Protein backbone atom coordinates (compact mmCIF):
# COMPACT_ATOMS: atom_id res chain seq x y z
CA UNK A 1 0.00 0.00 0.00
CA UNK A 2 2.92 2.33 0.61
CA UNK A 3 3.62 4.72 -2.26
CA UNK A 4 6.98 4.86 -4.03
CA UNK A 5 8.05 8.28 -2.85
CA UNK A 6 10.33 8.04 0.16
CA UNK A 7 8.53 9.01 3.37
CA UNK A 8 10.24 11.68 5.43
CA UNK A 9 10.60 11.01 9.14
CA UNK A 10 11.87 13.54 11.67
CA UNK A 11 13.63 12.13 14.75
CA UNK A 12 13.72 14.43 17.75
CA UNK A 13 15.89 13.36 20.66
CA UNK A 14 18.72 15.00 22.58
CA UNK A 15 20.46 11.67 22.96
CA UNK A 16 22.61 11.32 19.86
CA UNK A 17 23.27 7.60 20.20
CA UNK A 18 19.55 6.99 20.52
CA UNK A 19 18.88 8.99 17.36
CA UNK A 20 21.55 6.99 15.57
CA UNK A 21 19.97 3.68 16.52
CA UNK A 22 16.58 4.80 15.25
CA UNK A 23 18.13 6.27 12.13
CA UNK A 24 19.91 3.06 11.20
CA UNK A 25 16.74 1.03 11.63
CA UNK A 26 14.51 3.46 9.75
CA UNK A 27 16.92 4.03 6.86
CA UNK A 28 17.05 0.28 6.51
CA UNK A 29 13.30 0.24 6.01
CA UNK A 30 13.60 2.79 3.18
CA UNK A 31 12.60 5.99 4.96
CA UNK A 32 14.37 9.32 4.59
CA UNK A 33 15.51 10.49 8.03
CA UNK A 34 15.92 14.00 9.42
CA UNK A 35 17.13 14.83 12.90
CA UNK A 36 16.58 17.50 15.54
CA UNK A 37 18.25 17.87 18.91
CA UNK A 38 15.41 19.43 20.82
CA UNK A 39 11.85 20.72 20.54
CA UNK A 40 12.91 24.13 19.32
CA UNK A 41 14.85 22.74 16.39
CA UNK A 42 11.97 20.40 15.60
CA UNK A 43 9.49 23.29 15.43
CA UNK A 44 11.86 25.22 13.16
CA UNK A 45 12.20 22.27 10.81
CA UNK A 46 8.44 21.68 10.70
CA UNK A 47 7.94 25.32 9.80
CA UNK A 48 10.36 25.01 6.90
CA UNK A 49 9.78 21.54 5.58
CA UNK A 50 7.12 18.88 5.25
CA UNK A 51 7.43 15.60 7.17
CA UNK A 52 5.28 12.51 6.94
CA UNK A 53 5.90 11.53 10.55
CA UNK A 54 7.69 12.69 13.69
CA UNK A 55 9.17 10.50 16.42
CA UNK A 56 9.97 12.61 19.46
CA UNK A 57 11.38 12.20 22.94
CA UNK A 58 9.46 13.84 25.78
CA UNK A 59 12.33 14.76 28.04
CA UNK A 60 14.76 17.08 26.28
CA UNK A 61 16.75 20.06 27.34
CA UNK A 62 15.49 23.49 26.22
CA UNK A 63 12.06 22.97 24.67
CA UNK A 64 10.59 19.65 25.80
CA UNK A 65 8.50 17.23 23.78
CA UNK A 66 5.09 18.25 25.17
CA UNK A 67 5.64 21.93 24.37
CA UNK A 68 6.97 21.05 20.93
CA UNK A 69 4.04 18.72 20.32
CA UNK A 70 1.56 21.51 21.09
CA UNK A 71 3.27 23.87 18.66
CA UNK A 72 3.65 21.25 15.97
CA UNK A 73 -0.04 20.31 16.25
CA UNK A 74 -0.96 23.98 15.96
CA UNK A 75 1.24 24.35 12.91
CA UNK A 76 0.22 21.19 11.21
CA UNK A 77 -2.64 19.36 12.94
CA UNK A 78 -2.61 16.31 10.72
CA UNK A 79 1.05 15.31 11.05
CA UNK A 80 1.36 12.06 13.05
CA UNK A 81 3.66 12.41 16.06
CA UNK A 82 4.90 9.43 18.04
CA UNK A 83 6.28 9.99 21.50
CA UNK A 84 9.06 8.20 23.36
CA UNK A 85 9.14 8.26 27.10
CA UNK A 86 10.99 6.83 30.04
CA UNK A 87 8.99 4.45 32.22
CA UNK A 88 8.51 6.98 34.98
CA UNK A 89 6.65 9.52 32.86
CA UNK A 90 3.70 7.50 31.62
CA UNK A 91 1.44 10.24 32.92
CA UNK A 92 3.10 12.69 30.54
CA UNK A 93 2.62 10.18 27.75
CA UNK A 94 -1.10 10.18 28.42
CA UNK A 95 -1.05 13.95 28.23
CA UNK A 96 0.76 13.68 24.91
CA UNK A 97 -1.92 11.37 23.55
CA UNK A 98 -4.57 13.84 24.62
CA UNK A 99 -2.67 16.54 22.73
CA UNK A 100 -2.89 14.49 19.57
CA UNK A 101 0.15 12.20 19.61
CA UNK A 102 -0.69 9.01 17.72
CA UNK A 103 1.29 6.61 19.85
CA UNK A 104 3.88 6.39 22.58
CA UNK A 105 6.76 4.03 23.21
CA UNK A 106 8.42 3.34 26.50
CA UNK A 107 12.21 3.29 26.56
CA UNK A 108 14.27 1.21 26.02
CA UNK A 109 12.72 0.93 22.61
CA UNK A 110 11.66 -2.29 21.01
CA UNK A 111 12.83 -1.44 17.48
CA UNK A 112 10.59 -4.01 15.80
CA UNK A 113 7.52 -2.60 17.52
CA UNK A 114 8.46 0.95 16.51
CA UNK A 115 9.01 0.00 12.86
CA UNK A 116 5.79 -1.95 12.81
CA UNK A 117 3.87 1.04 14.19
CA UNK A 118 5.39 3.35 11.60
CA UNK A 119 4.34 1.07 8.74
CA UNK A 120 0.86 0.72 10.24
CA UNK A 121 0.49 4.48 10.61
CA UNK A 122 1.42 5.13 6.99
CA UNK A 123 -0.98 2.44 5.78
CA UNK A 124 -3.74 3.87 7.91
CA UNK A 125 -3.08 7.40 6.65
CA UNK A 126 -3.29 6.31 3.03
CA UNK A 127 -6.57 4.62 3.71
CA UNK A 128 -7.80 7.73 5.45
CA UNK A 129 -6.83 9.94 2.51
CA UNK A 130 -8.80 7.69 0.19
CA UNK A 131 -11.80 7.86 2.51
CA UNK A 132 -11.47 11.60 2.82
CA UNK A 133 -11.56 12.24 -0.90
CA UNK A 134 -14.63 10.07 -1.09
CA UNK A 135 -16.24 11.93 1.80
CA UNK A 136 -15.32 15.27 0.33
CA UNK A 137 -16.94 14.30 -2.94
CA UNK A 138 -20.09 13.33 -1.07
CA UNK A 139 -19.97 16.47 1.00
CA UNK A 140 -19.84 18.65 -2.10
CA UNK A 141 -23.01 16.97 -3.29
CA UNK A 142 -24.80 17.09 0.06
CA UNK A 143 -23.24 20.04 1.82
CA UNK A 144 -24.05 20.03 5.53
CA UNK A 145 -23.26 23.13 7.54
CA UNK A 146 -19.77 22.80 8.95
CA UNK A 147 -19.79 24.06 12.50
CA UNK A 148 -16.33 23.96 14.05
CA UNK A 149 -15.74 23.55 17.76
CA UNK A 150 -14.27 21.17 20.28
CA UNK A 151 -14.74 23.10 23.53
CA UNK A 152 -17.08 21.58 26.08
CA UNK A 153 -19.68 24.26 25.46
CA UNK A 154 -19.68 23.58 21.72
CA UNK A 155 -19.78 19.81 22.21
CA UNK A 156 -22.77 20.23 24.53
CA UNK A 157 -24.35 22.43 21.93
CA UNK A 158 -23.87 19.80 19.21
CA UNK A 159 -25.70 17.34 21.41
CA UNK A 160 -28.67 19.65 21.90
CA UNK A 161 -28.62 20.32 18.18
CA UNK A 162 -28.64 16.64 17.29
CA UNK A 163 -31.57 15.99 19.60
CA UNK A 164 -33.68 19.01 18.74
CA UNK A 165 -33.06 19.53 15.03
CA UNK A 166 -35.12 16.55 13.85
CA UNK A 167 -38.07 17.58 16.02
CA UNK A 168 -40.51 20.35 15.24
CA UNK A 169 -39.59 22.29 18.37
CA UNK A 170 -39.21 26.05 18.24
CA UNK A 171 -35.61 26.99 18.80
CA UNK A 172 -34.27 30.23 20.23
CA UNK A 173 -30.62 30.96 19.49
CA UNK A 174 -28.92 33.48 21.74
CA UNK A 175 -25.43 34.88 21.45
CA UNK A 176 -23.33 37.95 20.82
CA UNK A 177 -22.91 39.24 17.31
CA UNK A 178 -20.73 36.98 15.17
CA UNK A 179 -20.94 33.87 17.34
CA UNK A 180 -22.57 31.76 14.63
CA UNK A 181 -26.31 32.07 15.23
CA UNK A 182 -27.20 31.97 11.56
CA UNK A 183 -24.90 29.02 11.01
CA UNK A 184 -26.75 27.11 13.75
CA UNK A 185 -30.13 28.05 12.28
CA UNK A 186 -29.03 26.65 8.92
CA UNK A 187 -27.78 23.48 10.62
CA UNK A 188 -31.08 22.99 12.43
CA UNK A 189 -33.03 23.18 9.19
CA UNK A 190 -30.59 21.03 7.23
CA UNK A 191 -30.76 18.32 9.86
CA UNK A 192 -34.53 18.32 10.16
CA UNK A 193 -37.13 16.30 8.32
CA UNK A 194 -38.07 19.52 6.58
CA UNK A 195 -34.71 19.95 4.89
CA UNK A 196 -36.24 19.58 1.44
CA UNK A 197 -38.98 22.06 2.27
CA UNK A 198 -38.48 25.83 2.15
CA UNK A 199 -36.07 27.55 4.54
CA UNK A 200 -37.05 31.20 4.68
CA UNK A 201 -35.13 33.90 6.53
CA UNK A 202 -36.09 37.35 7.62
CA UNK A 203 -34.11 39.96 9.50
CA UNK A 204 -36.57 41.66 11.83
CA UNK A 205 -34.21 44.55 12.56
CA UNK A 206 -33.72 45.57 8.96
CA UNK A 207 -37.22 46.91 8.27
CA UNK A 208 -39.54 49.52 9.80
CA UNK A 209 -42.63 48.09 11.50
CA UNK A 210 -45.18 48.40 8.68
CA UNK A 211 -42.85 46.97 6.04
CA UNK A 212 -41.82 44.17 8.38
CA UNK A 213 -45.45 43.15 8.91
CA UNK A 214 -46.15 43.09 5.22
CA UNK A 215 -42.96 41.06 4.68
CA UNK A 216 -43.96 38.59 7.38
CA UNK A 217 -47.67 38.23 6.66
CA UNK A 218 -47.97 39.48 3.05
CA UNK A 219 -50.52 42.03 1.91
CA UNK A 220 -53.62 42.33 -0.22
CA UNK A 221 -53.73 44.48 -3.31
CA UNK A 222 -54.27 48.11 -2.30
CA UNK A 223 -53.52 47.51 1.38
CA UNK A 224 -51.30 50.58 1.37
CA UNK A 225 -49.77 52.97 -1.13
CA UNK A 226 -47.44 50.92 -3.26
CA UNK A 227 -49.28 47.65 -2.69
CA UNK A 228 -50.22 47.34 -6.32
CA UNK A 229 -50.50 43.56 -6.27
CA UNK A 230 -51.35 40.93 -3.72
CA UNK A 231 -48.24 39.45 -2.13
CA UNK A 232 -47.47 36.41 -0.02
CA UNK A 233 -45.50 36.95 3.18
CA UNK A 234 -42.61 34.91 4.56
CA UNK A 235 -44.91 32.82 6.78
CA UNK A 236 -46.79 31.64 3.72
CA UNK A 237 -43.61 31.10 1.72
CA UNK A 238 -42.24 28.98 4.54
CA UNK A 239 -45.39 26.84 4.81
CA UNK A 240 -44.39 23.22 5.43
CA UNK A 241 -40.81 24.27 6.14
CA UNK A 242 -38.83 26.51 8.49
CA UNK A 243 -38.91 30.25 9.09
CA UNK A 244 -35.83 31.87 10.61
CA UNK A 245 -36.71 35.06 12.46
CA UNK A 246 -33.36 36.79 12.88
CA UNK A 247 -32.79 39.70 15.29
CA UNK A 248 -36.09 38.98 17.00
CA UNK A 249 -35.23 41.31 19.88
CA UNK A 250 -35.77 44.30 17.62
CA UNK A 251 -39.49 43.89 16.90
CA UNK A 252 -42.17 46.26 18.14
CA UNK A 253 -44.66 44.98 20.71
CA UNK A 254 -47.46 45.06 18.16
CA UNK A 255 -45.57 42.85 15.70
CA UNK A 256 -44.65 40.58 18.60
CA UNK A 257 -48.36 40.10 19.35
CA UNK A 258 -49.01 39.03 15.77
CA UNK A 259 -46.13 36.59 15.77
CA UNK A 260 -47.38 35.11 19.03
CA UNK A 261 -50.73 34.41 17.41
CA UNK A 262 -49.13 32.53 14.52
CA UNK A 263 -47.12 30.50 17.01
CA UNK A 264 -50.16 29.68 19.10
CA UNK A 265 -52.87 29.24 16.50
CA UNK A 266 -50.87 28.79 13.32
CA UNK A 267 -52.93 31.51 11.64
CA UNK A 268 -52.86 35.17 10.60
CA UNK A 269 -54.30 37.60 8.07
CA UNK A 270 -52.44 39.40 5.32
CA UNK A 271 -52.03 43.15 5.82
CA UNK A 272 -55.22 44.80 4.53
CA UNK A 273 -57.04 41.45 4.29
CA UNK A 274 -59.60 39.64 6.42
CA UNK A 275 -59.20 36.10 5.15
CA UNK A 276 -57.55 33.93 7.82
CA UNK A 277 -54.59 31.99 6.48
CA UNK A 278 -53.38 28.79 8.13
CA UNK A 279 -49.76 27.68 7.96
CA UNK A 280 -47.58 24.92 9.34
CA UNK A 281 -44.17 26.45 9.97
CA UNK A 282 -41.31 25.57 12.25
CA UNK A 283 -39.80 28.66 13.87
CA UNK A 284 -36.18 29.32 14.64
CA UNK A 285 -35.52 32.70 16.24
CA UNK A 286 -32.25 34.44 17.06
CA UNK A 287 -31.09 37.56 18.80
CA UNK A 288 -27.91 39.11 20.16
CA UNK A 289 -29.90 40.94 22.83
CA UNK A 290 -30.37 39.74 26.38
CA UNK A 291 -34.01 38.77 25.88
CA UNK A 292 -34.71 38.18 29.56
CA UNK A 293 -33.55 41.70 30.28
CA UNK A 294 -35.75 42.99 27.43
CA UNK A 295 -38.67 41.15 29.03
CA UNK A 296 -37.89 42.72 32.41
CA UNK A 297 -37.72 46.14 30.85
CA UNK A 298 -41.06 45.65 29.10
CA UNK A 299 -39.63 45.68 25.57
CA UNK A 300 -40.33 42.04 24.84
CA UNK A 301 -43.49 40.05 25.58
CA UNK A 302 -42.98 37.47 28.26
CA UNK A 303 -45.45 35.02 26.71
CA UNK A 304 -43.67 35.25 23.35
CA UNK A 305 -40.32 34.72 25.07
CA UNK A 306 -41.59 31.50 26.67
CA UNK A 307 -43.19 30.35 23.46
CA UNK A 308 -39.96 30.87 21.52
CA UNK A 309 -37.58 29.38 24.04
CA UNK A 310 -38.83 25.79 23.93
CA UNK A 311 -35.24 24.83 23.11
CA UNK A 312 -32.88 27.68 23.96
CA UNK A 313 -29.40 27.44 22.50
CA UNK A 314 -26.80 29.86 23.81
CA UNK A 315 -23.63 30.41 21.82
CA UNK A 316 -20.85 31.51 24.16
CA UNK A 317 -18.63 34.37 22.99
CA UNK A 318 -15.34 33.22 21.46
CA UNK A 319 -13.26 34.58 24.37
CA UNK A 320 -15.04 32.06 26.62
CA UNK A 321 -14.09 29.10 24.43
CA UNK A 322 -10.53 29.79 23.49
CA UNK A 323 -9.94 26.11 22.79
CA UNK A 324 -11.89 26.55 19.57
CA UNK A 325 -9.73 29.41 18.30
CA UNK A 326 -6.80 27.44 16.77
CA UNK A 327 -9.27 25.07 15.13
CA UNK A 328 -11.35 27.88 13.66
CA UNK A 329 -8.21 29.73 12.56
CA UNK A 330 -7.01 26.61 10.67
CA UNK A 331 -10.45 26.19 9.14
CA UNK A 332 -10.60 29.74 7.84
CA UNK A 333 -6.96 29.60 6.73
CA UNK A 334 -7.79 26.59 4.58
CA UNK A 335 -10.93 28.22 3.22
CA UNK A 336 -9.27 31.49 2.25
CA UNK A 337 -6.00 30.07 0.94
CA UNK A 338 -8.06 27.88 -1.39
CA UNK A 339 -10.34 30.73 -2.37
CA UNK A 340 -7.43 33.08 -3.08
CA UNK A 341 -5.11 30.46 -4.49
CA UNK A 342 -2.42 31.15 -1.92
CA UNK A 343 0.12 28.71 -0.60
CA UNK A 344 0.20 29.32 3.13
CA UNK A 345 1.02 26.30 5.24
CA UNK A 346 0.04 27.45 8.68
CA UNK A 347 0.63 29.80 11.57
CA UNK A 348 3.87 30.23 13.47
CA UNK A 349 3.47 29.37 17.16
CA UNK A 350 3.87 33.07 18.02
CA UNK A 351 1.08 34.00 15.62
CA UNK A 352 -1.29 31.37 17.00
CA UNK A 353 -0.42 32.54 20.48
CA UNK A 354 -1.37 36.13 19.63
CA UNK A 355 -4.57 34.98 17.97
CA UNK A 356 -5.59 32.90 20.97
CA UNK A 357 -4.79 35.67 23.45
CA UNK A 358 -6.82 38.33 21.66
CA UNK A 359 -10.26 39.03 23.10
CA UNK A 360 -12.30 38.81 19.84
CA UNK A 361 -15.14 41.25 20.62
CA UNK A 362 -16.53 40.54 17.14
CA UNK A 363 -16.33 36.79 17.80
CA UNK A 364 -16.01 34.23 14.99
CA UNK A 365 -16.93 36.73 12.31
CA UNK A 366 -14.03 38.98 13.35
CA UNK A 367 -11.67 36.00 13.39
CA UNK A 368 -12.83 34.99 9.92
CA UNK A 369 -12.31 38.53 8.60
CA UNK A 370 -8.87 38.80 10.17
CA UNK A 371 -7.74 35.49 8.67
CA UNK A 372 -9.09 36.40 5.24
CA UNK A 373 -7.30 39.75 5.31
CA UNK A 374 -4.11 38.14 6.59
CA UNK A 375 -4.16 35.51 3.85
CA UNK A 376 -4.43 38.23 1.24
CA UNK A 377 -1.71 40.40 2.78
CA UNK A 378 0.75 37.65 3.67
CA UNK A 379 3.82 37.33 1.46
CA UNK A 380 5.31 34.34 3.24
CA UNK A 381 4.24 30.73 3.47
CA UNK A 382 3.71 30.88 7.21
CA UNK A 383 1.56 33.45 8.95
CA UNK A 384 3.70 35.24 11.50
CA UNK A 385 2.78 37.91 14.06
CA UNK A 386 4.01 40.70 11.77
CA UNK A 387 1.33 39.93 9.19
CA UNK A 388 -1.45 40.10 11.76
CA UNK A 389 -3.48 43.30 12.10
CA UNK A 390 -2.27 45.97 14.47
CA UNK A 391 -4.86 45.35 17.19
CA UNK A 392 -3.84 41.70 17.47
CA UNK A 393 -0.14 42.41 17.52
CA UNK A 394 -0.71 44.51 20.57
CA UNK A 395 -2.79 41.96 22.39
CA UNK A 396 0.33 40.78 24.21
CA UNK A 397 -0.95 41.94 27.56
CA UNK A 398 -0.84 39.43 30.37
CA UNK A 399 -2.57 36.18 29.50
CA UNK A 400 -5.79 36.68 27.64
CA UNK A 401 -5.76 40.43 27.87
CA UNK A 402 -5.83 40.69 31.65
CA UNK A 403 -4.98 44.29 32.25
CA UNK A 404 -2.63 44.62 35.18
CA UNK A 405 -2.07 48.34 34.94
CA UNK A 406 -1.74 50.32 38.18
CA UNK A 407 -5.05 51.68 39.36
CA UNK A 408 -6.86 48.37 39.52
CA UNK A 409 -7.55 46.52 42.74
CA UNK A 410 -6.05 43.12 43.41
CA UNK A 411 -9.55 41.67 43.69
CA UNK A 412 -10.49 42.97 40.22
CA UNK A 413 -7.38 41.52 38.63
CA UNK A 414 -7.82 38.25 40.52
CA UNK A 415 -11.40 37.90 39.32
CA UNK A 416 -10.40 38.57 35.72
CA UNK A 417 -7.51 36.12 35.94
CA UNK A 418 -9.83 33.40 37.24
CA UNK A 419 -12.39 34.07 34.49
CA UNK A 420 -9.71 33.97 31.80
CA UNK A 421 -8.05 30.85 33.14
CA UNK A 422 -11.40 29.09 33.29
CA UNK A 423 -12.02 30.11 29.69
CA UNK A 424 -8.62 28.75 28.68
CA UNK A 425 -9.21 25.39 30.34
CA UNK A 426 -12.74 24.96 29.08
CA UNK A 427 -14.08 25.54 32.61
CA UNK A 428 -12.01 22.70 34.05
CA UNK A 429 -11.84 23.42 37.79
CA UNK A 430 -8.97 21.06 38.58
CA UNK A 431 -6.82 22.35 35.74
CA UNK A 432 -7.63 25.98 36.54
CA UNK A 433 -6.74 25.52 40.21
CA UNK A 434 -3.49 23.88 39.14
CA UNK A 435 -2.57 26.73 36.82
CA UNK A 436 -3.41 29.34 39.44
CA UNK A 437 -1.50 27.43 42.10
CA UNK A 438 -4.42 27.26 44.52
CA UNK A 439 -6.54 24.40 45.84
CA UNK A 440 -9.83 23.46 44.26
CA UNK A 441 -11.63 24.50 47.41
CA UNK A 442 -10.04 27.97 47.35
CA UNK A 443 -10.97 28.27 43.70
CA UNK A 444 -14.59 27.29 44.43
CA UNK A 445 -14.74 29.87 47.21
CA UNK A 446 -13.41 32.60 44.97
CA UNK A 447 -15.81 31.66 42.17
CA UNK A 448 -18.65 32.02 44.66
CA UNK A 449 -17.28 35.21 46.16
CA UNK A 450 -16.93 36.91 42.78
CA UNK A 451 -20.17 35.48 41.37
CA UNK A 452 -18.34 33.97 38.40
CA UNK A 453 -20.48 31.86 36.07
CA UNK A 454 -19.09 28.42 35.30
N1 LIG B 1 -18.48 27.39 14.94
C1 LIG B 1 -18.24 27.91 13.73
N2 LIG B 1 -17.59 27.17 12.79
C2 LIG B 1 -17.35 27.68 11.57
N3 LIG B 1 -17.71 28.91 11.19
C3 LIG B 1 -18.36 29.69 12.07
C4 LIG B 1 -18.66 29.23 13.38
N4 LIG B 1 -19.33 30.20 14.02
C5 LIG B 1 -19.43 31.22 13.17
N5 LIG B 1 -18.86 30.94 11.97
C6 LIG B 1 -18.76 31.84 10.81
O1 LIG B 1 -18.65 33.17 11.31
C7 LIG B 1 -19.43 34.07 10.56
C8 LIG B 1 -20.47 34.73 11.46
O2 LIG B 1 -21.45 33.79 11.84
P1 LIG B 1 -23.01 34.11 11.85
O3 LIG B 1 -23.39 35.02 10.74
O4 LIG B 1 -23.74 32.82 11.95
O5 LIG B 1 -23.09 34.92 13.24
P2 LIG B 1 -24.34 35.58 13.97
O6 LIG B 1 -24.29 35.12 15.37
O7 LIG B 1 -25.57 35.34 13.19
O8 LIG B 1 -23.95 37.12 13.96
P3 LIG B 1 -24.93 38.43 14.03
O9 LIG B 1 -25.52 38.48 15.39
O10 LIG B 1 -23.97 39.55 13.81
O11 LIG B 1 -25.92 38.25 12.95
C9 LIG B 1 -20.05 33.25 9.44
O12 LIG B 1 -19.25 33.36 8.29
C10 LIG B 1 -20.03 31.84 9.98
O13 LIG B 1 -19.98 30.90 8.93
MG1 LIG C 1 -26.86 36.68 12.26
Amino acid sequence: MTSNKKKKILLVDDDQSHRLMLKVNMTDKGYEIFEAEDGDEAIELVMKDFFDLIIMDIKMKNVDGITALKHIKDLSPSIPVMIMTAHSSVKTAVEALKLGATEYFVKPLDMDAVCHSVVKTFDYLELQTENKTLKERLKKEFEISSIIGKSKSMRDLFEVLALSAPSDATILILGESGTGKELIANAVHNNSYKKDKPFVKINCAALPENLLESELFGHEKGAFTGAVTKRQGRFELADGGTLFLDEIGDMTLSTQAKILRVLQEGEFERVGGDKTIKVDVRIIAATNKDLELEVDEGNFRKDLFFRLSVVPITLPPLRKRKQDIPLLAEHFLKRYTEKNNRLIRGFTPEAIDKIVRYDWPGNVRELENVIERTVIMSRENMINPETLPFSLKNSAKADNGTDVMPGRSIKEVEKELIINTLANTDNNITHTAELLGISRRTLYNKIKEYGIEV
Side-chain angles (χ1 to χ4, degrees):
M1 223 191 193
T2 26
S3 61
N4 298 330
K5 212 175 123 252
K6 265 193 175 178
K7 299 267 193 226
K8 290 160 87 171
I9 299 181
L10 175 63
L11 302 176
V12 194
D13 197 331
D14 54 0
D15 179 349
Q16 202 193 352
S17 59
H18 207 250
R19 274 200 325 260
L20 188 65
M21 180 183 76
L22 274 163
K23 187 176 175 174
V24 169
N25 274 280
M26 296 286 156
T27 316
D28 248 353
K29 299 274 184 294
Y31 300 122
E32 193 179 351
I33 301 303
F34 296 78
E35 295 174 61
E37 253 189 16
D38 64 14
D40 223 6
E41 205 188 337
I43 295 168
E44 281 224 20
L45 285 173
V46 171
M47 269 156 62
K48 282 202 283 245
D49 206 349
F50 174 83
F51 298 100
D52 295 285
L53 185 108
I54 298 177
I55 304 180
M56 182 157 63
D57 194 8
I58 283 197
K59 257 207 165 144
M60 289 179 291
K61 42 181 192 301
N62 302 329
V63 175
D64 67 277
I66 291 286
T67 315
L69 175 64
K70 275 189 204 152
H71 281 173
I72 288 169
K73 282 284 160 184
D74 278 340
L75 282 169
S76 175
S78 57
I79 187 163
V81 183
M82 295 177 170
I83 291 290
M84 299 176 281
T85 165
H87 214 11
S88 55
S89 56
V90 169
K91 203 172 138 225
T92 329
V94 173
E95 190 189 346
L97 291 180
K98 278 193 187 146
L99 286 170
T102 39
E103 191 137 359
Y104 79 88
F105 305 107
V106 178
K107 287 180 179 175
L109 295 184
D110 172 354
M111 278 323 297
D112 281 342
V114 176
C115 290
H116 181 69
S117 266
V118 169
V119 172
K120 238 178 47 194
T121 304
F122 285 141
D123 281 350
Y124 172 72
L125 283 179
E126 275 186 29
L127 221 136
Q128 227 189 10
T129 321
E130 279 172 22
N131 278 342
K132 215 157 117 194
T133 29
L134 183 74
K135 259 200 207 138
E136 253 157 26
R137 239 184 39 227
L138 284 173
K139 202 171 148 201
K140 282 219 176 81
E141 287 166 37
F142 307 96
E143 173 75 24
I144 333 165
S145 353
S146 48
I147 310 171
I148 310 282
K150 65 167 185 179
S151 58
K152 169 108 178 25
S153 43
M154 286 307 279
R155 279 184 281 126
D156 288 349
L157 191 147
F158 293 151
E159 219 164 282
V160 175
L161 208 66
L163 289 171
S164 57
S167 74
D168 246 351
T170 302
I171 294 188
L172 177 63
I173 309 167
L174 303 165
E176 287 180 13
S177 183
T179 46
K181 296 186 294 296
E182 183 157 351
L183 192 66
I184 299 286
N186 284 321
V188 170
H189 176 75
N190 287 333
N191 290 288
S192 75
Y193 301 121
K194 299 186 161 176
K195 62 172 182 289
D196 300 321
K197 298 279 164 55
F199 181 51
V200 178
K201 302 181 191 184
I202 182 159
N203 183 336
C204 303
L207 297 166
E209 180 177 5
N210 53 349
L211 280 183
L212 175 62
E213 289 198 359
S214 115
E215 276 299 323
L216 284 168
F217 307 112
H219 57 73
E220 297 294 344
K221 187 174 168 184
F224 49 84
T225 339
V228 280
T229 52
K230 176 181 94 173
R231 197 168 151 216
Q232 286 190 322
R234 305 282 166 107
F235 270 103
E236 269 177 90
L237 294 171
D239 195 13
T242 309
L243 178 63
F244 176 38
L245 299 170
D246 202 2
E247 314 280 5
I248 195 140
D250 293 83
M251 278 188 312
T252 62
L253 286 164
S254 126
T255 312
Q256 288 174 30
K258 289 178 184 151
I259 300 256
L260 181 66
R261 180 168 162 233
V262 194
L263 287 184
Q264 277 171 341
E265 332 274 345
E267 59 182 43
F268 60 91
E269 286 89 34
R270 293 197 188 113
V271 175
D274 45 21
K275 194 173 101 197
T276 300
I277 295 167
K278 283 212 166 279
V279 285
D280 165 29
V281 174
R282 188 219 195 141
I283 302 288
I284 304 172
T287 179
N288 53 25
K289 290 201 168 165
D290 181 343
L291 261 200
E292 275 178 272
L293 188 75
E294 296 295 315
V295 169
D296 284 346
E297 291 183 346
N299 301 324
F300 203 85
R301 291 182 68 117
K302 201 174 188 165
D303 44 8
L304 180 58
F305 173 65
F306 284 130
R307 195 87 206 179
L308 288 173
S309 49
V310 179
V311 180
I313 292 184
T314 303
L315 278 162
L318 196 52
R319 63 184 170 280
K320 291 249 171 97
R321 45 178 162 116
K322 285 186 176 281
Q323 277 201 322
D324 292 340
I325 295 179
L327 217 62
L328 282 161
E330 286 285 346
H331 168 73
F332 293 131
L333 182 69
K334 185 164 177 286
R335 174 185 292 175
Y336 290 107
T337 44
E338 276 168 14
K339 188 175 157 199
N340 296 293
N341 268 323
R342 304 297 301 264
L343 280 174
I344 299 177
R345 294 192 33 234
F347 301 89
T348 65
E350 294 81 14
I352 269 293
D353 189 57
K354 289 260 174 351
I355 293 172
V356 171
R357 276 171 189 243
Y358 181 61
D359 222 30
W360 300 108
N363 294 299
V364 187
R365 178 178 297 113
E366 186 184 3
L367 174 63
E368 182 171 358
N369 291 342
V370 163
I371 303 289
E372 179 173 20
R373 196 153 26 119
T374 308
V375 165
I376 294 167
M377 304 300 288
S378 183
R379 291 280 159 269
E380 285 161 60
N381 72 353
M382 292 297 286
I383 291 186
N384 55 52
E386 279 64 49
T387 1
L388 293 170
F390 186 71
S391 57
L392 282 191
K393 267 193 275 181
N394 291 326
S395 71
K397 293 188 247 164
D399 190 28
N400 196 13
T402 304
D403 184 357
V404 288
M405 295 301 284
R408 306 190 64 200
S409 73
I410 288 187
K411 275 188 184 304
E412 256 181 338
V413 175
E414 185 176 73
K415 178 177 176 187
E416 202 169 317
L417 185 62
I418 294 174
I419 291 177
N420 289 337
T421 313
L422 281 166
N424 273 336
T425 62
D426 207 9
N427 276 345
N428 183 321
I429 298 281
T430 311
H431 196 182
T432 300
E434 250 170 46
L435 287 172
L436 294 173
I438 54 178
S439 70
R440 285 164 48 108
R441 173 173 297 273
T442 312
L443 178 60
Y444 271 122
N445 288 340
K446 287 187 188 294
I447 287 174
K448 225 165 95 192
E449 179 188 341
Y450 295 133
I452 297 170
E453 274 179 49
V454 272

